[in-house]
């Protein structure tokens, strides 16, 4: 369990909070590229408790600026997307994508007033079907993390976005928790799996090693970007099933997979302390992705605002009859099942009341990583994953099946490029690794 103080430290993301400052050290997804049309309507964006507005000008360039006009405070989400920039409908003040005031028709022609006005704006980078932004100090802006899926063609990638009614950490912890798959995602009958799918809308096959493995080894391994979350279970009489999932700061994760399954990346971006944008990126490296299969396994249907149709208000359409024979939870869709369990905890779960067990190794490691990352930042050290020499495009999940008895670190070795550097004390066994966060 955590103290109330530590629970606040790892959940509160607003301006002026330690975690808010940590998140602002990284590039974060702000919205889908497809949400912005050249010259189209601006889109309200709330990130880390801050109200912003995004727009794509007629030339195709994207801007992310403060929502409220610096003149009298009218929302620029109502603004005109004109050639001169995003124009406030109140008095016609206009702003370019970098926040410069380009027009102030309410002032005399000779006035230089507009040259003194600068609207807050954040840098933008488009990659992988997403508009990313960096919200930290300009002098500390890191290079964009070229993740393995960001440069893939659209045929090999599917990007989805959904609104979640809880703190980001509940969602991220669920991603770390391997053991919930054997319950929340369990299908109670065998299914015909389509190519590249771990599950169908009913859940995971009861014969899958995530379900059948008894007393699996759950462990973690520190890396320069966060840690690897490991699951070692049985696969038949002779083999062991080794899953790895890279967990990346500040709130990213790859889902564990074996070779026949598609890849899946998650980004959990805080809107504020109580709500989150979840981005799911399904991708393949060597063939086109079956988009229909992945949409089916997600089981999420959203409206034009990316809000779930199956949600708390209708109990996620839980079906008690299907619960008896179809799937364990009675809820359709693997992602919908995840949303139900994390949102039902409330906006921010009180971790001081928990009773963690041996299956919660990854969850404990995640919390320790965040707390130690905050301490590193407060001591003036660079947060995890921001070293420009880290080859981010080499990070992905690749589970293996190996003969029993082979050590998991040997069967699924860590790429030396991601191995933490040890201090002199650590080399002598007197201290932990410099990059260790768990």
């Amino acid at each position: 369990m955590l103290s109330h103080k530590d629970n606040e430290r790892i959940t509160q993301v607003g301006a002026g909070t330690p975690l808010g400052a940590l998140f602002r050290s990284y590039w974060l997804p702000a919205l889908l590229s497809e949400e912005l049309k050249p010259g189209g309507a601006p889109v309200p964006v709330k990130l880390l408790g801050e109200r912003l507005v995004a727009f794509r000008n007629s030339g195709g360039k994207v801007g992310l600026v403060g929502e409220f006009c610096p003149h009298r405070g009218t929302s620029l989400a109502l603004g005109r997307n004109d050639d001169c920039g995003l124009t406030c409908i109140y008095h016609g003040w206009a702003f370019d994508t970098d926040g410069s005031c380009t027009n102030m028709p309410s002032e005399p022609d000779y006035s230089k007033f507009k040259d003194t006005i600068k609207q807050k704006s954040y840098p933008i980078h488009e990659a992988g079907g997403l508009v990313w932004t960096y919200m930290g100090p300009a002098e500390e802006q890191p290079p964009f993390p070229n993740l393995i899926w960001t440069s893939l063609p659209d045929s090999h990638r599917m990007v989805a976005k959904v609104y979640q009614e809880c703190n980001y950490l509940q969602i991220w912890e669920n991603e770390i928790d391997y053991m919930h798959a054997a319950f929340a995602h369990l299908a109670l009958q065998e299914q015909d799996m389509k190519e590249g799918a771990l599950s169908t809308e009913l859940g995971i096959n009861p014969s899958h090693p995530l379900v059948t493995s008894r007393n699996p080894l759950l462990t973690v391994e520190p890396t320069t970007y966060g840690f690897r979350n490991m699951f070692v279970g049985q696969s038949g009489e002779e083999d062991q099933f080794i899953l790895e999932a890279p967990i990346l700061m500040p709130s990213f994760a790859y889902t564990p997979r074996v070779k026949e399954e598609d890849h899946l990346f998650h980004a959990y971006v805080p809107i504020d302390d109580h709500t989150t944008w979840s981005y799911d990126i399904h991708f393949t490296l060597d063939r086109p992705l079956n988009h229909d299969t992945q949409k089916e396994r997600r089981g999420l249907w959203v409206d034009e605002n990316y809000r779930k149709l199956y949600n708390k208000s209708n109990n996620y359409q839980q079906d008690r009859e299907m619960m008896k024979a179809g799937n364990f939870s009675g809820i359709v869709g693997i992602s919908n099942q995840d949303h139900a369990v994390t949102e039902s905890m409330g906006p921010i779960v009180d971790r001081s009341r928990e009773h963690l067990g041996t299956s919660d190794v990854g969850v404990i490691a995640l919390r320790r990583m965040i707390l130690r990352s905050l301490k590193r930042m407060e001591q003036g050290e660079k947060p995890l994953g921001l070293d420009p020499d880290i080859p981010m495009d080499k990070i992905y999940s690749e589970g293996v099946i190996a003969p029993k008895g082979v050590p998991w670190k040997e069967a699924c070795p860590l790429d030396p490029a991601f191995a933490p550097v040890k201090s002199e004390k650590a080399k002598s066994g007197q201290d932990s690794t410099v990059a260790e966060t768990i």
Side-chain angles (χ1 to χ4, degrees), residues 131-149:
V131 175
W132 301 70
T133 190
Y134 167 74
M135 300 173 66
E139 65 276 11
E140 298 176 13
Q141 180 177 322
F144 178 77
N146 288 305
L147 301 167
I148 191 170
W149 53 269

Side-chain angles (χ1 to χ4, degrees), residues 16-17 21 28 37 51 53 72 77 81 110 122-123 168 206 217 239 246 263 302 311 318 335:
T17 64
L28 302 171
K37 309 300 180 186
R51 291 179 63 172
V53 63
R72 297 276 297 282
N81 193 351
Y110 59 80
Y122 290 117
Y168 86 99
L217 170 65
D239 298 324
H263 295 266
V302 300
N311 52 53
Q318 187 180 43
S335 294

